[in-house]
Amino acid sequence: MGIWHERAARADCDGRALINGERVWAAADARFDNLSPVDGRLLGQVARCDGRDVERAVALARAAFEDGRWAGQAPAARKRVLLRLAELMLAHADELALLETLDMGKPIQYSLSVDVALAANCIRWYGEAIDKLYGEVAPAPADSLALVVREPVGVVAAITPWNYPLLMAAWKIGPALAAGNSVILKPSEKAPLSALRLGELAHAAGLPPGVFHVLPGFGPEAGAALALHMDVDSIGFTGSTRVGKQIQQMAGQSNLKRAWTELGGKSANIVCADCPDLDAAVQAAVGSIFFNQGESCNAPSRLFVERAIYAAFMEKALALVPRYAPADPLEESTVMGALVDGQQQQTVLGYIESGQNEGARLLTGGTAARTDSGGCYVAPTIFDQVRPEMRIAREEIFGPVLSVLCFDDVHEAVRQANATSYGLHAAVWTRELGKAVQLARALRAGTVHINQYDSDDITVPFGGYKQSGNGRDKSLHAFDKYTELKTIWMQIA
Ligand code: ADP
């Protein structure tokens, strides 16, 4: 038995909510079972928070905001708390990573090197940023002084998904807390554990009680109560486009809270015949769609390859696939783990079936895997001869399924790449700099990669065009979601 199995056997999977700095069950005492997709084991129970818990948390958050126990602290003081939180996250990296892997099935090596590491870095980065943000002095007439200042928006709700539970929580609470807001985080019911532990660590780092609450529960209950609440000022949401639309409707139906959404994607990866490094392009195409079991909103799920290199590209791609065979997420060598639950596994298998029914050619995979494990695994799957009208070319699958299309004219490939309701990421591979930039400009997506796919960090904004959402996570632009701009105009003559 490996070290992570031993740790898993002893893991503390506390599913109670975190309200006012204390771990509590929901007011109604409703609970639900938390099963691990790794092997189906029962991790424990989770508090099923609802409108009553939301009422309590929002009232506490509002009171904390009004009395200035956090918002009123100097930016440098808030910075110190966030830096301590980042340190605590790293000090508890093994524990957080284990919770992430048990809860949603990703390989332990990535929970450690990607999720925990990037989440801690995100908290540190916003802590570092907050005492370096200046306001503006406007070029007003000489008899006036006009200041433009940023103020925290007040009470922020964050509703997060299950694919990167800790990291998505960090992307929201990092800028929101740094700016001085009170925050209520509702993690996905499918993977709430790391966010709950994050809340505890924030208090251990010195965050005053009342400022940050974590309410696990279901979307239509705790989530909708937050989105409809009259005293929540801003909501940061990451999840499906379907629910993102509901969030915006609920914001409009209630108090017109600012509603920021980071939603689905069907990102196009366009490899031209003059690609500078075919092996790198193949590795990125295959590695990026199978990373995190394909459960990434920015996964390059549509691959366009120019005909002249098509055969060579696909031969290399298929040769890489065995590396991504699903394995035990608690083994350190594993690169592909379990899907988040049986429901997601069925969704993905349903898409695979639709691809076959619509006439795409299944080159590899296409089945459930590790079926004797008790967990939820799908073999890495590649289809080619995909046509743009097929569901596997249009809809977000959120699983390890790559749809490959062959092209002759790159402008036609860009047209097809843009012919989607999504606009999150895109990529183009070509040796010619001018062509690369022209294509990058033509692609309607929040991020366009040139000759790479995954390089990216906290310094650049993340978010989508079209129905991939609005607003941006990461970078200083994220502060726009959690602050208001105030003009202070003074008559001085
Ligand atoms: P996924 O299908 O990837 O789980 P969802 O959009 O369903 O994505 O879920 C993302 C987050 O939105 C989760 O925290 C979920 O609980 C929440 N959610 C789902 N439905 C609603 C809803 N009606 N109102 C508010 N939040 C919701």
Side-chain angles (χ1 to χ4, degrees), residues 159-160 162 186-189 219 223-224 237-240 243 246-247 250:
I159 298 183
T160 50
W162 46 260
K186 196 210 80 68
S188 169
E189 59 275 23
F237 172 81
T238 296
S240 62
V243 177
Q246 293 174 6
I247 296 285
M250 288 187 273

